[in-house]
Amino acid sequence: MGLHRKALRTTAVGAVSATLIAGSILGLAPTAQAADAVRFVDITGDGGTVLKANVITPAGADDTHRYPLLVLPTSWGLPQVEYLAQAQKLANSGYVVVSYNVRGFWQSGGEIEVAGPPDIADASKVIDWALANTPADSKHIGMAGVSYGAGISLIAAAHDKRIKAVAALSGWADLIGSIYSGRTQHVQAAALLDGASLVTGRQDPEVRQIFNDFYASNLSREQDIINWGKKRSAATYVDQLNKNGAAVMMANAWGDTIFPPNQYADFYEKLTGPKRLEFRPGDHATAELTGLFGLPNDVWTDTGRWFDHYLKGEDNGIDREQPVQLKSRSTGGYEGYPDWKSVAATERKIALAGSTTIHTNVDSGADGGVVFLSSILDQVAKIPPIASIPLLPRRWAAVWQSEKYASAQQIRGTAELHTTVTPTKESGTLVAYLYDVGPLGLGKLVSNAPYTFHGRTPGKPFSLDLDLFSTAYDVPAGHRLALVVDTVDPLYVEHNPSGAQLTFSSPANDPSYVSIPLREQ
């Protein structure tokens, strides 16, 4: 396992390096237009740490007029030029825009804190600097960012009541719920983040220890890791964020392998102020990517509209639109809903009858794909991970299938698995997959989720409830759905002792099922 993790980290370093080189070449393209309007500055952050930043102001701006301020913290591992194309557009529409490299990355000082208290204090220091050194309006301040910048922006809005609006794109609200969902390490996601930070920054010793304990599955440190993650999650501060009243827009992709959509949807439901939630096909930050190069992009267009309304007071109608906007992975149009719970109008259960025993420690061939690559293929070519359902070896995979559907089934929201598990060992990991199965038996992955247990009594059954990752997918007429459960997936760390077996049963007084959320038809 150690060699496997080392290989993952090495692969991540190489992939990130290539991405950064390409991104630097492409990302600098817009700067020729904006060069006269850009100032590169040093901002003193928390504890005296120097943050490298750039400032763009509206053309002809001077001290006789004040403009709304937008603060943009950079994404994990990306340089401070990341947002130049969008910053230029926002400045042209009347904003003072300050983008800064978060501490620990690139030329900024300090060490990587992973949205810890120093990062949140830095955001307030950047606002202080902008109010003192630009024609920014102290009463109209917003924050936005992609990925790491999104997470920092949400937490900062809970701590600094001057922030009136936020656009959090491909971010997280629950860090533990993102990379440790179902008590299972999302190892490819962690390795990618780890590798990127080793290439582009300097990790705080505590962060390095968190990564090491995470990879090692150190249960004696599990609660410490959870506490560390909660301190870095906007969900922990939702009451304060609601009290401050910031208008919050969040956008993410259905296939985000770093920050899955469930945790954003759960957080959205807890917000009481002005709010908007958008989900589209893709993987982590891919929905926003073209906008970073200055190309037309729905996410950035809505971000501009959000700030125009809540910082500039423009009556552009965004506050009257349905606040939950979804784009299915199967179709091209947007669907609007009044709230998240309305996304799934009905539910249809597939019974998981009988008793099935599988052996562990072998990948059956059903898996969630490869971080980034698989969901991008789904986004661009509608080709998610595929498995031949009839050929899956039943020794290592439990399989249940629905009847063929006479009409298309529009899956919207979160599928839920309920079953009874009897293990032969005290620990174990299982991964549930939902497939769209065509006439030839080829299954296209609709959703998946892992689940790990520890401290169970061998031979004693226990009830399991597992939410699969939320999605929007249309199953064609004539197809069926299949639920597959196995115990090994390259995306996740597995905790199955050698020789372990898992039995899935459906007691008469507690029948097993998978509940499929469906759009009203």
Side-chain angles (χ1 to χ4, degrees):
M1 186 64 78
L3 290 175
H4 177 61
R5 289 170 186 147
K6 182 177 180 181
L8 280 170
R9 291 196 291 271
T10 302
T11 301
V13 170
V16 171
S17 299
T19 301
L20 290 171
I21 292 169
S24 296
I25 294 170
L26 295 171
L28 286 171
T31 63
Q33 287 181 306
D36 292 339
V38 180
R39 279 195 296 144
F40 291 91
V41 300
D42 290 348
I43 297 176
T44 301
D46 184 57
T49 297
V50 175
L51 305 174
K52 296 295 182 176
N54 58 72
V55 183
I56 306 181
T57 55
D62 56 38
D63 290 337
T64 63
H65 183 74
R66 293 285 161 181
Y67 300 87
L69 169 66
L70 292 179
V71 174
L72 311 178
T74 52
S75 300
W76 185 270
L78 292 186
Q80 61 160 304
V81 297
E82 174 186 7
Y83 300 117
L84 280 183
Q86 286 300 321
Q88 179 66 60
K89 289 185 176 183
L90 290 164
N92 288 342
S93 64
Y95 294 93
V96 172
V97 185
V98 180
S99 176
Y100 71 97
N101 243 127
V102 291
R103 65 171 54 224
F105 284 104
W106 293 82
Q107 292 86 9
S108 284
E111 295 176 319
I112 299 167
E113 300 278 350
V114 193
D119 289 306
I120 307 311
D122 284 345
S124 292
K125 291 287 188 180
V126 172
I127 292 173
D128 293 341
W129 182 92
L131 295 178
N133 294 277
T134 73
D137 186 344
S138 63
K139 296 181 179 179
H140 299 90
I141 298 173
M143 283 191 71
V146 175
S147 184
Y148 196 34
I152 290 174
S153 295
L154 280 175
I155 301 172
H159 287 80
D160 192 329
K161 61 183 180 182
R162 295 176 297 180
I163 300 170
K164 304 301 183 185
V166 173
L169 315 179
S170 288
W172 78 92
D174 181 349
L175 191 56
I176 296 301
S178 295
I179 62 172
Y180 193 54
S181 72
R183 209 178 176 186
T184 308
Q185 296 94 327
H186 295 209
V187 67
Q188 285 192 13
L192 189 69
L193 295 173
D194 189 8
S197 63
L198 292 174
V199 171
T200 63
R202 302 162 302 281
Q203 293 179 354
D204 175 83
E206 182 184 24
V207 171
R208 182 66 262 158
Q209 188 61 51
I210 290 291
F211 273 118
N212 291 342
D213 291 336
F214 186 85
Y215 292 134
S217 305
N218 188 346
L219 288 180
S220 68
R221 289 270 293 151
E222 182 181 38
Q223 192 57 52
D224 293 332
I225 294 173
I226 291 172
N227 293 339
W228 178 88
K230 284 184 176 179
K231 185 183 292 186
R232 291 158 171 81
S233 299
T236 302
Y237 313 105
V238 65
D239 291 341
Q240 188 61 42
L241 182 59
N242 286 333
K243 181 180 178 181
N244 290 349
V248 177
M249 170 183 156
M250 300 186 296
N252 204 354
W254 293 119
D256 194 320
T257 44
I258 308 293
F259 304 127
N262 299 45
Q263 47 92 32
Y264 247 19
D266 292 344
F267 181 70
Y268 174 84
E269 289 291 272
K270 297 174 184 176
L271 295 173
T272 58
K275 58 183 180 178
R276 183 179 177 92
L277 180 66
E278 300 182 354
F279 284 133
R280 298 172 175 84
D283 204 313
H284 184 64
T286 61
E288 300 89 359
L289 183 61
T290 57
L292 295 178
F293 300 144
L295 301 174
N297 182 277
D298 290 353
V299 186
W300 286 103
T301 295
D302 287 348
T303 295
R305 295 173 63 225
W306 190 253
F307 287 133
D308 286 347
H309 179 75
Y310 286 102
L311 295 183
K312 294 165 68 175
E314 291 187 6
D315 184 13
N316 56 18
I318 197 167
D319 58 318
R320 296 188 294 275
E321 295 174 359
Q322 298 275 44
V324 176
Q325 293 286 322
L326 311 181
K327 180 181 280 191
S328 168
R329 291 161 51 200
S330 308
T331 58
Y334 284 94
E335 303 166 3
Y337 300 87
D339 48 40
W340 175 249
K341 64 178 178 289
S342 298
V343 170
T346 61
E347 294 183 351
R348 176 173 292 173
K349 291 182 178 180
I350 301 172
L352 309 180
S355 179
T356 302
T357 298
I358 62 173
H359 295 252
T360 65
N361 304 112
V362 174
D363 189 341
S364 70
D367 62 57
V370 179
V371 66
F372 277 127
L373 177 61
S374 297
S375 292
I376 292 174
L377 281 174
D378 187 33
Q379 176 184 4
V380 174
K382 293 184 171 55
I383 304 176
I386 293 174
S388 175
I389 304 304
L391 297 181
L392 290 176
R394 272 33 177 192
R395 178 179 176 85
W396 295 293
V399 180
W400 298 268
Q401 296 192 68
S402 72
E403 299 297 323
K404 288 183 180 180
Y405 294 112
S407 59
Q409 305 294 296
Q410 295 182 314
I411 298 175
R412 299 291 185 272
T414 309
E416 301 172 0
L417 168 63
H418 174 76
T419 190
T420 296
V421 182
T422 305
T424 59
K425 304 288 185 179
E426 67 172 14
S427 295
T429 297
L430 59 91
V431 185
Y433 309 89
L434 187 65
Y435 282 100
D436 161 23
V437 185
L440 298 180
L442 287 180
K444 293 184 177 181
L445 186 65
V446 177
S447 185
N448 78 99
Y451 181 88
T452 294
F453 59 88
H454 297 287
R456 293 290 179 178
T457 302
K460 183 178 180 180
F462 66 90
S463 179
L464 182 153
D465 289 285
L466 176 63
D467 288 349
L468 277 62
F469 299 136
S470 303
T471 194
Y473 183 96
D474 297 352
V475 179
H479 286 212
R480 62 180 83 219
L481 285 170
L483 182 80
V484 177
V485 180
D486 73 1
T487 63
V488 176
D489 190 304
L491 288 174
Y492 313 114
V493 171
E494 52 93 6
H495 300 263
N496 297 298
S498 179
Q501 299 176 31
L502 300 176
T503 297
F504 302 92
S505 57
S506 183
N509 62 345
D510 186 20
S512 296
Y513 61 85
V514 59
S515 178
I516 308 300
L518 299 175
R519 182 188 183 196
E520 185 174 3
Q521 299 182 43

